[in-house]
Amino acid sequence: MDNDLVKQLGYANLDTRLKRISDKMSHSLRAMYRDFDMDTEPNWYLVLWIVNNQPNVSVMEIANRLKFTHQSVMNMTSKMINKGYLKNLKDPLDKRKTIFNLTKKAEDAMPLFTKIWEIGKKVTLELLNENTEIMPHLEQLEANLEKASFGERIANELVNEKK
């Protein structure tokens, strides 16, 4: 018998299952980057991709594209600046806005990053046994969570039970 409580709980523990999968993938990517002497984090590719394709992009534009909070983008980009992958400037038209561009270090690393991302897509498809049927389910899950959060839905059920 499988002693894995997360699996035993099935869909009722979906958030933990998705987090566990994400953690396994991120930890292995982090180790791979270390093995190749790359001082990057797994989730940085999203920002690098955006900034590479849209120089002078703002924090808010990145946050909107990724559906991340402003604060999480600020934290990520701050680390990327400290590691020498991004440079930040004030928008010449609106001094309140911070905009980002790639540094020479990032530009030089982009061919390797691009190769890693392309191979990563191939490996992800292999991990899914070339079956992407999960994607529409994830789309539906995200759309439903936009309407009302997981916590809000549970709280509403609790309130309705009291009535």
Side-chain angles (χ1 to χ4, degrees):
M1 180 170 149
D2 192 352
N3 196 27
D4 185 341
L5 179 61
V6 174
K7 280 185 182 178
Q8 289 173 10
L9 292 173
Y11 71 88
N13 209 29
L14 180 64
D15 61 329
T16 302
R17 189 85 179 262
L18 292 173
K19 172 92 169 88
R20 187 167 76 175
I21 291 167
S22 175
D23 286 350
K24 282 181 183 181
M25 293 174 80
S26 292
H27 292 310
S28 67
L29 272 174
R30 201 171 281 113
M32 184 212 65
Y33 285 142
R34 259 193 324 270
D35 290 346
F36 283 93
D37 292 322
M38 299 171 73
D39 58 348
T40 60
E41 290 293 320
N43 60 348
W44 290 4
Y45 82 91
L46 298 165
V47 173
L48 288 170
W49 189 88
I50 290 171
V51 176
N52 185 55
N53 289 296
Q54 187 182 345
N56 298 314
V57 65
S58 73
V59 173
M60 285 309 298
E61 290 169 309
I62 294 170
N64 289 338
R65 293 274 317 269
L66 299 177
K67 304 291 187 227
F68 287 1
T69 65
H70 180 276
Q71 187 58 48
S72 67
V73 171
M74 286 301 295
N75 291 340
M76 190 182 327
T77 55
S78 176
K79 291 175 186 174
M80 295 172 77
I81 289 166
N82 290 337
K83 292 287 185 173
Y85 287 95
L86 289 181
K87 52 188 169 190
N88 62 336
L89 310 157
K90 290 297 177 187
D91 186 318
L93 302 175
D94 183 351
K95 299 292 183 195
R96 297 168 299 168
K97 285 172 60 175
T98 300
I99 58 174
F100 297 100
N101 286 293
L102 298 181
T103 63
K104 174 135 176 48
K105 177 180 179 176
E107 288 171 357
D108 291 346
M110 284 308 290
L112 179 57
F113 285 134
T114 301
K115 186 173 214 158
I116 289 169
W117 303 333
E118 288 302 316
I119 294 170
K121 286 194 296 191
K122 177 181 168 256
V123 169
T124 301
L125 198 54
E126 288 171 7
L127 289 169
L128 292 169
N129 293 327
E130 303 205 15
N131 180 342
T132 59
E133 289 179 24
I134 191 173
M135 299 311 291
H137 297 289
L138 293 176
E139 295 288 333
Q140 186 64 60
L141 179 62
E142 286 181 318
N144 287 339
L145 288 170
E146 285 292 318
K147 294 175 190 166
S149 76
F150 188 59
E152 288 170 331
R153 290 166 185 267
I154 292 172
N156 287 340
E157 289 290 324
L158 287 171
V159 169
N160 288 337
E161 278 186 8
K162 287 183 178 180
K163 291 180 181 178

